[in-house]
Amino acid sequence: MGILAGVALAAVVLGNGGVASGGGSSPRPQSTVQYPITFDAPAMKAPRPQPTVSYPIPWVREDGAR
């Protein structure tokens, strides 16, 4: 158990060595995004929906119901 604790302690100390031994501030990550974000127009427009039946469906019924 003591060996495992020693290995874990060494991993923590060596893993964070760059921050502690640097003496200065760490470099900050910079954004690579350019605003405003624009999207190119699609090459072709969406197709118009086609009816599933070839005959007209009367919406007004004789009894007035829809």
Side-chain angles (χ1 to χ4, degrees):
M1 186 71 154
I3 295 173
L4 182 61
V7 171
L9 179 63
V12 169
V13 169
L14 294 176
N16 292 334
V19 174
S21 64
S25 63
S26 298
R28 293 285 195 192
Q30 298 295 320
S31 175
T32 58
V33 179
Q34 295 179 356
Y35 292 99
I37 298 174
T38 58
F39 297 97
D40 296 332
M44 58 185 256
K45 294 183 179 180
R48 292 185 61 191
Q50 297 294 323
T52 57
V53 295
S54 60
Y55 54 89
I57 300 173
W59 292 103
V60 178
R61 308 285 188 217
E62 295 170 357
D63 60 353
R66 289 188 167 209

